[in-house]
């Protein structure tokens, strides 16, 4: 047996042996790990260029953008050889540098090229998403990626690419000072609109050198770096301003500016420069459309591929139509600028206009005018107003009515256009006013939409609900109506912003049997050296947004020239030489006016206003946008056969009484044939006109013992909410008592033998210099109160303006400034003279146009 001492010694030697072996194993593992790291580093960095060679570039091919006939619109030249001016870091303002670092790399001056915190954050996000979702890239890493990697490697989101990027970033930091790397980055980074580097970006967007940028402009440029297409201020000013707000907030967080400085910068209105004239390109046609297409290409292929990929892009644009659209816009604006207002002012403060024309059968954009003059900085001409979000005024109403027709309303539904107060979500009263400041009493939805009644539109919206209306708008392609909590009943009057392109696309669905129409700009993209053609589906027709029947009902109303006469007069600019549907829109402060309309072959939307949101002087959809729409549509459709709108199955007609929307009876004095979706037509006879026997002396209901003769009369029965309006209009109501129990204030029986229907008592009209005098007319009209008449004469200021032997007793009278009277006189079948009450109305020298 071994002694205890020997056992202890032996055990000690055993432990020492194990320790030595473990040490050797760990050392070997360390050497293997080091060797692997060296090998991995060598493999990752083997083909990385030296920092000194990063500026070397190959000359790219050009990408060419054509119209649908193959005519060149624009050639994308090498931006690095074109619009680029390198500057020293010291020549760039400190606030601009701080803005870029705040949003791209807040710890730039404190890390060795890679930010450990950013890397850890990116790893955690990758684990959570099971893919790389963010790179935690520093400014140095971004510079490495844009200078050293191929387009394909730049677009990849792999661990290998990220490690190679980090290695090169560390090398750059070792080779150059922080200021030098930042200078290289600010001279290389892409800001959109073909602008590489800070100086090119400053001149592209603001028309000034980078050293002249203020805080607001610096923040906006810095915000472009992450997504130049999505936040381009010349295409999407709202997104650019929101991104600017984020950048300013990050600058506050970095303690380089104060909260007050950020607020002041955010409140500063931007002043954009024009772009394109100094690009060195031989051709730039349809500039806003080209910019739109370029953004689509960059979103799909990446800016680097567009700049150097040799792409041949065939678009949907018809250059001939484009040039005619541009000419129509210029002609109308020049005309408005030449006109003199009543106070001697030289013009109507109209600076800009935009136009979009689509083929409703495919969604293809045939013309897109983003502003009146792309190169005119005084009107912010570089801003594409066709893509900007603006308030549409009454042009949004067809979407609200379509929602109602999908439910329980029809074009014959009658609502009362009388003063009505609503309660908002905040509990405040809301009482909309009509554009003409006149109430029209019970009115059908056909007449209300055709004449653009504000009150009835709000009632329809209140009935169907905001959520349902927003769903219809989204189904039709409106993307800005994303949150119902942002909207109230003022949505019916254009309180929610939309872009001209999207609203025109929504109207295209009405022209295309209710199917969604998504605007399409690109027909095909062919890459040099590659077989086949890529690009989006050229057909922009989507799912059924509304039924063909509802689409037809909207079209029927918007193409009803007779229904809109009371608001727009006969033969207005909305009337074409072929069937056409159209709607105008004007904001209450004259900041925006619209006309959007269509035939089966073409849908066109026009906006008129100022890009900087300055109000115009009394220029409306019918006087500003309307003439542009009319002239362009006539030119664009010339040579094509006129086509009727095709009526779909299950749309039927029925003769209804205007005043109730119910089936017409012999008593109904105003009737017409109306369209209905089968199953929604009225089954009940009209009850808005009733016959009753009255006492010829007291005017009360006749009963035995009355002093006068028993006379049969027809009365119009008004709904309770419209009875005050009826009394103001002089509409005799059915007596509520018999002659032996008369009501106080009963009228004599002959008081309504003749009743003036139009104009309304004490109405005020106004002339405008924007329309020919002959087009400025109002209706002078009367009706029989139930007596049989053999002759009626209409008088204005005591002079006969129309003579009739049978109804309707109606004539159009040309407006003349001053105070006027109107009256109807006649003779009944017994030879007795009858006369209406004399009403007064006035005409001002200048009108507020619709």
């Amino acid at each position: 047996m071994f002694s205890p001492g020997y056992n202890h010694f032996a055990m000690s030697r055993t432990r020492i042996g194990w320790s030595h072996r473990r040490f050797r194993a760990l050392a070997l593992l360390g050497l293997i790990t080091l060797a692997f790291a060296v090998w991995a580093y060598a493999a990752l960095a083997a083909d990385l260029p030296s920092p000194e060679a990063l500026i070397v570039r190959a000359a790219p091919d050009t990408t060419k953008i054509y119209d649908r006939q193959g005519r060149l619109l624009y050639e994308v030249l090498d931006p690095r050889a074109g619009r680029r001016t390198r500057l020293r870091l010291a020549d760039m303002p400190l606030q601009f540098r701080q803005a870029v670092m705040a949003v791209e790399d807040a710890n730039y001056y404190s890390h060795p090229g890679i930010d450990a915190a950013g890397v850890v954050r990116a790893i955690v996000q990758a684990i959570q998403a099971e893919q790389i979702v963010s790179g935690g890239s520093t400014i140095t890493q971004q510079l490495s990626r844009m200078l050293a990697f191929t387009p394909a490697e730049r677009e990849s989101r792999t661990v290998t690419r990220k490690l190679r990027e980090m290695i090169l970033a560390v090398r750059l930091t070792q080779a150059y000072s922080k200021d030098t790397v930042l200078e290289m980055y600010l001279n290389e980074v892409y800001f959109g609109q073909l602008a590489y580097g800070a100086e090119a970006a400053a001149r592209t967007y603001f028309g000034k050198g980078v050293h002249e940028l203020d805080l607001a402009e610096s923040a906006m440029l810095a915000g472009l770096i992450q997504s130049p297409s999505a936040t381009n201020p010349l295409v999407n000013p709202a997104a650019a301003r929101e991104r600017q707000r984020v950048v300013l907030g990050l600058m506050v967080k970095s303690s380089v500016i104060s909260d007050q400085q950020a607020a002041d910068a955010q409140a500063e209105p931007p002043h954009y420069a024009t772009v394109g004239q100094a690009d060195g390109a031989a051709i730039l046609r349809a500039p806003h459309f080209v910019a739109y297409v370029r953004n689509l290409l960059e979103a799909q292929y990446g800016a680097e591929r567009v700049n150097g990929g040799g792409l041949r892009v065939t678009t949907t644009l018809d250059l001939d139509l484009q040039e005619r659209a541009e000419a129509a816009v210029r002609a109308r604006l020049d005309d408005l600028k030449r006109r003199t207002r009543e106070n001697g002012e030289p013009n109507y403060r109209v600076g800009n206009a935009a136009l979009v024309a689509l083929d409703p059968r495919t969604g293809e954009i045939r013309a897109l005018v983003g502003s009146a003059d792309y190169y005119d900085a005084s009107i912010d001409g570089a801003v594409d107003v066709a893509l900007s979000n603006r308030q549409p005024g009454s042009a949004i109403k067809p979407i609200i009515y379509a929602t109602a027709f999908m439910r329980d309303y029809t074009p014959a539904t009658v609502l009362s256009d009388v003063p009505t107060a609503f309660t908002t979500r905040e509990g405040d009263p809301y009482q909309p006013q009509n554009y003409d400041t006149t109430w029209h009493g019970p009115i059908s939805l056909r007449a209300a939409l055709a004449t653009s009644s504000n009150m009835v539109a709000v009632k329809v919206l209140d009935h169907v609900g905001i959520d349902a209306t927003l769903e219809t708008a989204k189904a039709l392609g409106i993307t800005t109506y994303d949150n119902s909590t942002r909207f109230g009943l003022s949505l019916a009057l254009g309180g929610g912003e939309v872009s001209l392109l999207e609203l025109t696309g929504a109207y295209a669905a009405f022209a295309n049997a209710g199917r969604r129409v998504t605007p399409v700009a690109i027909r095909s993209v062919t890459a040099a050296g590659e077989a086949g053609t890529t690009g989006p589906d050229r057909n922009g027709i989507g799912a059924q947004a509304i039924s063909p029947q509802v689409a037809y009902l909207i079209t029927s109303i918007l193409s009803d020239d007779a229904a809109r006469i009371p608001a727009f007069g006969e033969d207005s600019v909305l009337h074409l030489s072929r069937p056409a549907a159209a709607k105008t829109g004007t904001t209450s402060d004259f900041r925006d006016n619209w006309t959007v309309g269509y035939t089966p072959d073409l849908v066109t939307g026009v906006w008129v206003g100022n890009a900087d949101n300055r109000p115009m002087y009394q220029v409306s959809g019918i006087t500003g946008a309307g003439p542009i729409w009319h002239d362009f549509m006539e030119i664009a459709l010339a040579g094509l056969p006129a086509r009727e709108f095709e009526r779909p199955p299950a749309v039927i007609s029925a003769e209804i009484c205007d005043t109730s929307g119910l089936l017409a009876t012999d008593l109904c004095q105003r009737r017409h044939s109306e369209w209905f979706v089968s199953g929604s037509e009225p089954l009940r006879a009209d009850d808005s006109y009733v016959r009753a026997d009255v006492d010829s002396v007291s005017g009360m209901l006749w009963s035995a013992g009355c002093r006068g003769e028993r006379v049969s009369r027809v009365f119009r029965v008004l709904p309770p909410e419209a009875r005050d309006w009826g009394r103001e209009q002089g509409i005799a109501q059915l007596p509520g008592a018999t002659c032996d129990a008369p009501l106080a204030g009963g009228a004599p029986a002959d008081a309504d033998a003749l009743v003036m229907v139009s104009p309304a008592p004490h109405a005020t009209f106004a002339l405008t210099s924007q329309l020919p005098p002959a087009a400025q007319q109002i209706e002078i009209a009367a009706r029989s109160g139930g007596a049989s008449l053999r002759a009626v004469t209409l008088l204005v200021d005591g002079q006969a303006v129309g003579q009739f032997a049978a109804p309707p007793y109606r004539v159009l009278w040309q407006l003349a400034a001053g105070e006027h009277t109107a009256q109807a006189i006649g003779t009944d079948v017994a030879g007795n003279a009858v006369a209406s009450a004399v009403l007064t109305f006035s005409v001002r020298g200048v009108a507020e146009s619709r």
Side-chain angles (χ1 to χ4, degrees), residues 552-633:
Y552 182 78
L553 295 182
I554 294 295
T555 296
S556 171
I557 296 172
L558 298 186
S559 61
D560 190 342
D561 289 312
R564 58 174 164 247
I565 283 177
F568 300 103
E570 289 186 303
D571 198 26
S572 71
V573 295
L574 302 184
H575 177 70
L576 299 184
S577 58
R578 62 183 66 221
K583 182 72 186 74
T584 63
T586 305
T587 55
S588 59
D589 51 9
F590 296 100
R591 295 182 190 274
D592 303 273
N593 70 68
W594 310 62
T595 297
V596 189
Y598 53 92
T599 69
D601 300 296
L602 189 67
V603 54
T604 298
V606 178
W607 169 91
V608 169
N610 293 295
D612 63 1
N613 215 33
R614 285 183 296 112
M616 298 169 285
Y617 179 78
Q618 296 183 351
V619 176
S620 69
I622 200 67
T623 59
I628 298 174
W629 178 84
H630 177 276
D631 293 348
F632 174 77
M633 289 290 281

Side-chain angles (χ1 to χ4, degrees), residues 38 122 139 161 164 193 261 387 548 734 769 836:
V38 172
I139 282 176
R161 192 219 73 186
R164 285 164 55 80
Q193 291 290 123
Q261 286 176 298
L387 302 182
L734 180 68
S769 60
S836 73

Side-chain angles (χ1 to χ4, degrees), residues 7-86:
N7 289 338
H8 176 75
F9 174 76
M11 292 174 64
S12 297
R13 290 189 61 185
T14 301
R15 284 196 297 268
I16 292 171
W18 277 107
S19 298
H20 286 170
R21 284 195 297 273
R22 185 167 59 183
F23 173 78
R24 286 195 298 270
L26 291 174
L28 179 60
L29 180 61
L31 289 173
I32 292 172
T33 302
L34 178 61
F36 178 78
V38 172
W39 173 85
Y41 176 85
L44 289 169
D47 60 345
L48 288 177
S50 65
E52 293 78 9
L54 288 178
I55 303 297
V56 178
R57 299 178 183 273
D61 296 330
T62 61
T63 289
K64 295 180 177 64
I65 300 175
Y66 299 90
D67 87 330
R68 63 191 302 111
Q69 303 296 335
R71 291 169 288 192
L72 184 63
L73 300 176
Y74 187 66
E75 181 178 7
V76 181
L77 302 179
D78 177 7
R80 295 178 178 83
R83 197 175 333 137
R84 175 194 296 276
T85 302
R86 297 185 181 278

